[in-house]
Every structure is written in C-alpha cells, then in structure tokens.
Amino acid sequence: MEGSKPLTILYAEDDAVSAKLLGRTLQNLGYEAHGFVNGHQALEWFEKIQPPIIISDWMMPQMDGLEFCRRVRALDLPYYTYFILLTANSSETNYHKAMDHGVDDFLAKPFRREDLHMRLRVAERIVRQRWETEAKIRSLAHFPADNPNPILQANRDGAITYANQASLSLLRLWKADVGGALPDSLLPLLATVARGEQAVSEAELYCDNRTYSFAVTSVSEDGLIYLYGHDITARKRAETDLIAMRNRAVMQSLQDALTGIGNRVLLEQRLPELLQKATQDGKKLALVLVDIDNFKDINDSYGHKVGDQALIHVGHTLRDHLKSRDCVCRWGGDELVILISELQHRSQMRPICERLIQTVKEGLGSSDLPKFTLSMGFAVFPDDAPSGETLLQKADQALYQAKADGRDCWREYLGESKILQSTQHMIQRLTAAIDESRLTAYFQPVWDVVNQRPAGVESLARWVDPELGYIPPDEFIPLAEAKGLIIPLSRVVMRKSLETMRDWRSRGYDLTLSLNLSKRQLVETHFLTDLYRMVDEFQLPHDRVIFEVTERQSILGHALGRQRIEAMIAAGFRLSLDDFGSGYSSFDLVGEIPFHELKIYGGLIRKMNTPQGRRIVQAIVEMGLTLGLTVVAEGAEQEEEVNILREMGTQKIQGYYYSKPLPQEKLFAYLEEQTRRGRFSRPANVPGADKNVSF
Ligand code: C2E
Ligand code: MG
Ligand code: MG
C-alpha cells in the first residue's frame, strides 16, 4: 500500500494555537488534515466523509473527546476509523478509561513531532490492513476451492461440512477435519449467527505462529454457515508493537530522561496518593530533599558529562537502596526528592538518611567519578506539615540547615523556632545588604545574531558579602523567596538596572533590558506602581523592558499573577518565558499567555552535541517561530553551538561565547568596543528617544 494517496485525518482541538500547530505538523507529514474546534462539528463532518483516522483532544467544550469517540463507534460504519486521543493527563487510569470508550491510541501532550509521526505510521498500517480484510469479506460471494485464504463451511451445530485446501492444512494442525468439530475459538461466530446478528464479527485462530481472523460471510438457506479466514499476523504484530510503544510512552512521560528515575510529574502524582494513604493508615510519610554538594564545581571543573554521570550515580544508588514502595524522583537540576512511606516514627528516618549518604559515597570509590558528597533535609507528614506543598518547604528549610552546617550531612525539620542559626545569619546578612543597597546588578549581553550586534542585556543580581564572600544567585534568590525578602531585593536590583539603562541610553545605546521576575513580585500590591514610577523617573520606553518568568513559576495557576501579567503587557512591556525546557515544558503555557519571547534553557544548549539533544532544540526553535515568538538561546559557550543555533533560526543568543555577565563599567567598555567594531551604526543622543538605532 506504500505510495497510495495520502490518508485524510480529522483533528479536533479547541485550543487555537495547538490546533494550528497540529494542522501544520500533519500537513508537513503528508496527510490531508481537516481541523475542527469542537466535537459536534467534527462529528458532523465525520459522518459525511468517514476519514480513516481521527485525532482528538480529550478536553473540549460541549462535547469532549471521549464522547466524540463513543458517538463515532456507535455509528457502526462499515469501515474502521482509528481514534487517537490527546491529553495532558497521561495517567494509567485515564489510559484505561480511554481504551474502554473505544479509543485506539493515547498521546500525552505536549508531544514531539516524531512521536506523532510514529503513531500515525502504525495507525495507517492497521487501518489499511483492516480495510483490506473488510473489503475482501464483502466482495466474496463465491469460494473458489483454490482461494489462498482458508474458507470453511459449518452447520449450526459446529460440525465442519466443507474446507478448502488452505483451511485443510490449518485444520490438520488443529487435529480437525471435515466432519469434525470447528476449533473452539471459532464457535462464538456460530453464536452470533444463532442470535441473528448482522454485524461482521471476527474470531481469531492462532496456528503455527500465525494468527487468522475468521468472519461469517453468508448463511445459506439450509443453514450452512460460511467462514472466511484471513491472515492477520502482520496486523497483530503492529498492534503488539503499538501496545509496547504506548506502555513505553506512559513510562517515559513519568521518567527523568537522564537518570531513568521518576521525574517531577511522577512526584506530583505520587505525593498526594501517598499522603492520602498515610492518613488512612495512620502512618507517617517523610519527604527528603537531596542535593549534590558543590554540583556547579563538578560541572565547571570536569564538564557536564561528568556532572550528568554524578546525577545518574546518585539517582541509581538511592533507588537501589530503597524499598520499591518508596519513590525517588529528580526534582530539577541536581535536586532529588525521596518519599518514604509507612513510617511508624520519624526516628526511623535517621538511619535511612545516614545509610544513603554513606552508600553514595562508598559507590564513588569504585567509580571513575570525582569525589563528592550529598546534603539531605527531610520533613515528616503529618508532624511537620499538613500538605505536600508545605512539606516540601519544610524539607527545603532542613536542607538549608544541612548546607549551613557544612554539607555532607542530613538534617530534619525541627520546627520554626529551631531554624538553623547559620541560615538565620545568612538571612540577617542578606537583609542588611538589601537595606544598605549593597546588592548589585551585572549585565550579560544578548546578541541579535541576524544583524550581528548586541540587542540587549539581561540583568543578573549579584551579592558579595564582606563576611560570607560571593554567594551565587542560585543560593540567595531561593532563600530570599523563602524568607519574604525577594520583594525588597528585586526593588534594589530593578532600580539599579533601570538606572543603568538610563545611562546607556544617554550614551546613545538603544538596548533592551531583561529583568528576571519572581512570582511573588507579581502578586505584591506595590509591584506595578513601583515599576511605573521608576520607568517614568528614568524616562524609559516600556517596550525596551523585557520581564522574564520561568515555567517553574507556574503563573498560569495564579489568577492575580495573570492579571498583573496582562496589565504589564497592556502597558507595553515585553514578556519572555525563561529557561524553557528545564522542567516539564508547558506548551499550554506558551499558548495561554501572550509571551513575546521564548528563551531556551542553557542546559539544553549544552546537550546539542548529541543528535537527540539537537533535535530537541530544533523542535523548540520551530515551535517558537511558528507561534511568532522571538527565540533566544542562552548558555551558548562554543562557536559551533552559535552556528548551529543560527542555522536553526534562533534570533538572539546569550552566553559566555559573547560575554560573561559584566558590571556596569565593563558593560559600557564592551559597548564602546562594539561601537568601534561598527556594531552600532549611529549612536543616538537623546535619553528616552526610542526612534534611534533599535535592534
Ligand atoms: P537565568 O535568568 O536563566 O540567567 C542565566 C544564567 O545563566 C545566569 O546565571 C548566567 O550567568 C548563566 N549563563 C549565561 N551564559 C552562560 C554560559 O554560556 N554558560 C554558563 N555555564 N552559564 C551561563 P546566574 O547569574 O548565576 O543566575 C542564575 C539564576 O538566578 C538566573 O537564571 C535567575 O533565574 C536567577 N536570578 C538572577 N538574578 C535574579 C534577579 O534579579 N531576580 C530574580 N528573581 N532571579 C534572578
Ligand atoms: Mg533569566
Ligand atoms: Mg534562563
């Protein structure tokens, strides 16, 4: 059937952005695709055209995907239609529910183009083979004895009255013969005749490693029943492959790609289940946060491959030394979460943590990995927190304690009054630094790689404490967020950054300024008024200020956060989705909020040295461009990475290849140097004048 005309696919998807993407993908794959925004319209068209394949979203208004499928099946049309359901929730329960409604396949959103392509190839094979069988059965009025397919005739009692040559050899294997009884597996067909049913029903006969499907084609006036067989071995294989592939996909969507242990999605599924079970059984549940000490140093000194191996080592060791009912997941970056259930008392946790820290350390002795240690912090349900979210926060506080106590140890959450003194000390120092405006901003250039010149800069907070030394933002930003300091901190950084922006504008540079925004800032009452006041004070054009939010901040779920985002967009500010691809990349988020820019996570750029890594980045770039977003890549260090990214269509690139983050004076020197090299064609001279050179 290769080379025959393209199959028609009906797709139903209520979300306009996803529908556009899906339609385009299907057309690119060579299908004739027809899209509908709800189940009613789709069903109407389906009845007229009867396309062989349907792809439908589960969640749609008016008529959802399951109901749509049920109605398609109820039509009982002569030719088979293959039904693929799309869903954001790929749990096993949903999978079975969908199958019970007559769905053939189940694809978790967001999906990769390759996944869809593979599924469609299998679907196509199955549909074409089914059609062939059905057509043959229908056209078969007479049964020539030399028909290569097995044909049988039987009476209503199940005795064989005729067998053609092809079926004789089969029957012999079944130790049956003319005059004898039909194989048991074919008897249900006689029952359908007895009930007077018209519909073509099939029964399978497995023989000599092949599977045959038999159907009743006619019943003579004297009650003899004709059974036509067809070799469906290839179709069965395709179905088995499909089931295996589907099971793999369900597993993979819950698995961390690097370590093979659970991912964040699995954790978010398991945590509420285990909390509920603990409540029912009157037992305790411990949530342990595990962090590799100085992971950044391992990456910097030995390279990311070694960093990855370290994570794999930790993930596997933890998994292998815990009970199967416990759950180990990668939470993100170098942080892992363990859920330990069925505890009688929290004291049981101490030897467990001790053993895990030691085992990981001992395992390093027999490996090629550099020596490293782990810090762990745990909190216990219901003693320390009543819900999963607070449990995680308390475990995080305990982890801070472990880090503050010199790392390579575990700490448990001991109640608010006993929060680590050293964390307390760090909080005091940070509060003082904020009060005294000692926090600074560094600026990392973002390059416009289409026109080969600086397009803007990202502001990155920096804190060098006279006593504690340099503390990286990855440490003090989460601390500030946890301790309610992020608002005053951001105010200091934002003010300094906007002030610097005014200065570069007064020197004639028209660059965008990207500011990282945390969710708490968005929901804070004075955030917008502060922002407008500062921007006015420095006379800055709104459309040159870009706010970056990360997918982890999940602003979607927060009504007030969304309102603020919309107000900012309405006021002309730009919005960027930062670190895209670092977590469970939410394609829904991209569709729901009118972002202007998509910033690809630096960790993915570093994985572009493998074909798979490159394909992932390519897919993200294509998606961003299709949605009309500016695509930015961050973390590019090598010339080769920059070249590949440019070829893929990335418009802006930020990374050490161009420049590390710079203090204000060095940024100005950098811009002057670029001007000397002709990167800025005409320095503007009026601050606030956005009609000057723009990028
Ligand atoms: P981010 O917003 O994704 O910032 C990019 C990070 O990647 C920066 O780390 C930057 O120095 C680093 N980077 C850029 N190019 C390269 C490269 O080529 N190679 C490597 N290895 N790294 C590169 P940094 O400054 O440590 O900031 C870490 C994170 O802290 C930021 O990630 C951001 O999420 C947060 N952050 C920093 N400043 C602020 C702030 O003022 N407010 C808020 N809310 N978050 C901030
Ligand atoms: Mg950022
Ligand atoms: Mg980023």
Side-chain angles (χ1 to χ4, degrees):
M1 282 276 144
E2 237 63 69
S4 40
K5 93 179 191 12
L7 288 183
T8 307
I9 298 184
L10 180 165
Y11 66 94
E13 166 63 86
D14 63 312
D15 177 76
V17 177
S18 312
K20 198 168 145 193
L21 258 175
L22 182 57
R24 230 179 99 123
T25 312
L26 291 172
Q27 270 157 12
N28 287 345
L29 291 174
Y31 294 98
E32 199 183 312
H34 295 262
F36 297 89
V37 292
N38 68 50
H40 284 295
Q41 284 179 9
L43 188 64
E44 214 171 278
W45 192 79
F46 172 77
E47 282 183 57
K48 274 191 244 147
I49 307 295
Q50 294 174 34
I53 299 176
I54 294 178
I55 302 177
S56 171
D57 191 19
W58 186 325
M59 291 301 166
M60 289 189 294
Q62 294 170 29
M63 190 198 294
D64 69 13
L66 275 195
E67 178 59 15
F68 177 29
C69 180
R70 202 187 57 74
R71 295 213 196 171
V72 165
R73 296 294 182 237
L75 290 172
D76 195 23
L77 297 167
Y79 284 97
Y80 193 74
T81 294
Y82 193 90
F83 202 105
I84 302 178
L85 192 68
L86 304 178
T87 173
N89 181 352
S90 60
S91 70
E92 213 169 309
T93 327
N94 275 348
Y95 166 72
H96 289 296
K97 190 168 162 197
M99 292 294 137
D100 292 344
H101 276 73
V103 166
D104 293 292
D105 196 4
F106 188 78
L107 188 56
K109 293 204 290 190
F111 50 80
R112 296 176 314 141
R113 181 180 185 274
E114 295 92 299
D115 281 342
L116 180 67
H117 193 187
M118 270 194 309
R119 303 300 179 85
L120 286 171
R121 292 205 54 181
V122 176
E124 203 173 324
R125 200 151 89 195
I126 291 174
V127 161
R128 287 192 195 277
Q129 279 168 356
R130 276 192 90 129
W131 280 6
E132 251 180 82
T133 317
E134 282 158 355
K136 264 188 198 148
I137 290 171
R138 251 170 278 278
S139 68
L140 209 96
H142 305 287
F143 303 112
D146 59 352
N147 191 310
N149 292 308
I151 296 162
L152 290 168
Q153 190 192 52
N155 63 22
R156 285 178 188 265
D157 299 329
I160 301 169
T161 48
Y162 165 81
N164 74 344
Q165 205 52 44
S167 62
L168 274 175
S169 49
L170 273 186
L171 290 177
R172 235 162 265 133
L173 290 165
W174 272 88
K175 301 198 176 30
D177 208 341
V178 178
L182 272 182
D184 286 352
S185 66
L186 299 185
L187 294 179
L189 291 177
L190 303 191
T192 58
V193 173
R195 286 198 298 271
E197 287 170 15
Q198 297 294 316
V200 180
S201 64
E202 293 176 26
E204 286 176 12
L205 183 69
Y206 183 74
C207 201
D208 198 21
N209 282 329
R210 305 201 72 77
T211 309
Y212 296 85
S213 171
F214 278 84
V216 175
T217 53
S218 59
V219 181
S220 70
E221 280 176 5
D222 48 357
L224 292 176
I225 300 153
Y226 288 88
L227 303 172
Y228 178 85
H230 184 73
D231 187 340
I232 56 158
T233 312
R235 181 180 112 197
K236 286 303 263 188
R237 269 186 209 140
E239 282 171 357
T240 318
D241 288 353
L242 182 66
I243 291 167
M245 195 164 85
R246 207 150 40 198
N247 289 344
R248 249 193 334 263
V250 171
M251 288 296 292
Q252 275 168 2
S253 67
L254 301 174
Q255 231 176 32
D256 173 54
L258 173 68
T259 57
I261 60 172
N263 61 14
R264 211 178 164 110
V265 186
L266 179 71
L267 182 77
E268 278 161 10
Q269 262 180 30
R270 295 286 287 145
L271 184 55
E273 285 170 10
L274 290 175
L275 287 175
Q276 197 185 5
K277 189 159 187 314
T279 312
Q280 275 165 6
D281 302 349
K283 299 252 173 84
K284 295 181 196 294
L285 172 83
L287 186 151
V288 192
L289 267 174
V290 183
D291 193 270
I292 300 184
D293 295 327
N294 304 315
F295 185 64
K296 196 172 173 304
D297 292 347
I298 302 177
N299 271 334
D300 290 348
S301 323
Y302 300 96
H304 292 281
K305 279 211 179 107
V306 175
D308 286 352
Q309 287 307 318
L311 268 167
I312 295 171
H313 171 71
V314 175
H316 289 189
T317 312
L318 295 180
R319 186 188 56 195
D320 297 346
H321 287 81
L322 285 165
K323 298 207 169 88
S324 58
R325 64 165 185 254
D326 300 329
C327 173
V328 185
C329 296
R330 181 153 169 228
W331 178 245
D334 63 327
E335 248 179 21
L336 284 74
V337 172
I338 310 174
L339 299 177
I340 296 187
S341 52
E342 301 191 19
L343 292 172
Q344 298 288 357
H345 194 269
R346 63 189 302 141
S347 60
Q348 287 170 266
M349 281 306 293
R350 291 168 197 155
I352 297 179
C353 291
E354 204 66 58
R355 176 166 53 90
L356 292 177
I357 288 182
Q358 282 313 320
T359 316
V360 168
K361 220 185 275 179
E362 282 158 17
L364 288 176
S366 54
S367 78
D368 297 335
L369 288 167
K371 301 279 171 282
F372 64 83
T373 53
L374 295 185
S375 294
M376 289 184 184
F378 74 84
V380 174
F381 169 86
D383 306 4
D384 303 332
S387 71
E389 201 177 326
T390 36
L391 193 63
L392 194 64
Q393 280 169 12
K394 309 289 180 190
D396 201 27
Q397 289 187 14
L399 177 63
Y400 262 113
Q401 182 74 65
K403 296 251 170 208
D405 286 354
R407 307 180 161 149
D408 188 17
C409 63
W410 59 270
R411 289 292 177 263
E412 66 188 297
Y413 175 75
L414 289 171
E416 292 300 334
S417 58
K418 295 185 192 162
I419 295 178
L420 300 176
Q421 289 182 350
S422 40
T423 310
Q424 207 64 299
H425 184 58
M426 191 157 165
I427 296 165
Q428 279 165 10
R429 304 291 315 170
L430 183 59
T431 313
I434 295 168
D435 289 348
E436 292 157 26
S437 244
R438 276 190 282 107
L439 282 170
T440 52
Y442 270 41
F443 301 91
Q444 186 176 29
V446 181
W447 269 70
D448 168 350
V449 287
V450 180
N451 299 305
Q452 285 297 0
R453 53 190 174 185
V457 296
E458 177 174 5
S459 150
L460 295 157
R462 290 290 178 264
W463 176 30
V464 184
D465 187 79
E467 210 180 282
L468 304 172
Y470 171 78
I471 321 267
D474 284 336
E475 255 177 64
F476 71 80
I477 297 278
L479 180 67
E481 274 174 348
K483 298 293 157 206
L485 293 170
I486 191 74
I487 310 278
L489 180 152
S490 305
R491 202 175 290 134
V492 173
V493 176
M494 189 157 87
R495 186 170 183 87
K496 290 198 174 176
S497 307
L498 293 172
E499 211 171 357
T500 307
M501 183 178 188
R502 178 204 53 199
D503 292 348
W504 77 59
R505 291 183 64 78
S506 70
R507 288 163 192 236
Y509 299 114
D510 187 13
L511 299 166
T512 56
L513 170 71
S514 297
L515 291 162
N516 291 289
L517 196 60
S518 91
K519 187 165 79 179
R520 269 170 203 258
Q521 273 173 281
L522 270 181
V523 296
E524 199 249 345
T525 331
H526 302 297
F527 169 66
L528 282 186
T529 21
D530 275 356
L531 170 66
Y532 295 142
R533 197 170 335 113
M534 284 188 219
V535 169
D536 277 355
E537 183 186 337
F538 300 129
Q539 296 182 37
L540 302 171
H542 295 189
D543 65 356
R544 285 285 175 272
V545 183
I546 305 174
F547 285 95
E548 296 190 356
V549 289
T550 60
E551 38 176 350
R552 276 159 209 263
Q553 303 269 2
S554 68
I555 43 175
L556 251 193
H558 204 294
L560 184 57
R562 273 191 78 136
Q563 272 176 22
R564 295 270 158 86
I565 287 277
E566 275 154 21
M568 286 164 71
I569 293 178
F573 294 104
R574 309 250 126 194
L575 196 63
S576 173
L577 183 54
D578 197 3
D579 294 347
F580 190 82
S582 62
Y584 184 57
S585 302
S586 171
F587 290 81
D588 291 347
L589 190 65
V590 189
E592 284 247 357
I593 294 190
F595 286 101
H596 300 95
E597 184 181 278
L598 188 71
K599 210 163 178 184
I600 308 172
Y601 173 54
L604 290 183
I605 307 304
R606 265 162 249 139
K607 291 200 182 125
M608 284 202 317
N609 51 2
T610 67
Q612 200 204 10
R614 212 169 301 170
R615 275 200 301 275
I616 291 173
V617 175
Q618 173 83 67
I620 297 179
V621 174
E622 271 172 23
M623 183 204 64
L625 295 178
T626 311
L627 295 173
L629 303 174
T630 302
V631 178
V632 189
E634 72 182 350
E637 297 180 359
Q638 313 292 334
E639 188 173 3
E640 203 192 337
E641 290 166 348
V642 169
N643 290 339
I644 296 172
L645 286 165
R646 282 181 59 184
E647 262 167 44
M648 286 177 177
T650 310
Q651 292 128 320
K652 296 186 193 172
I653 301 181
Q654 173 182 352
Y656 293 172
Y657 174 74
Y658 288 109
S659 167
K660 290 202 164 183
L662 305 167
Q664 178 182 315
E665 336 59 88
K666 288 212 173 137
L667 171 73
F668 290 160
Y670 180 86
L671 294 176
E672 273 161 30
E673 171 64 22
Q674 296 307 325
T675 310
R676 264 198 301 282
R677 293 189 188 185
R679 304 295 192 201
F680 291 92
S681 52
R682 177 169 65 89
N685 44 25
V686 199
D690 32 325
K691 289 190 184 61
N692 295 315
V693 199
S694 71
F695 308 96

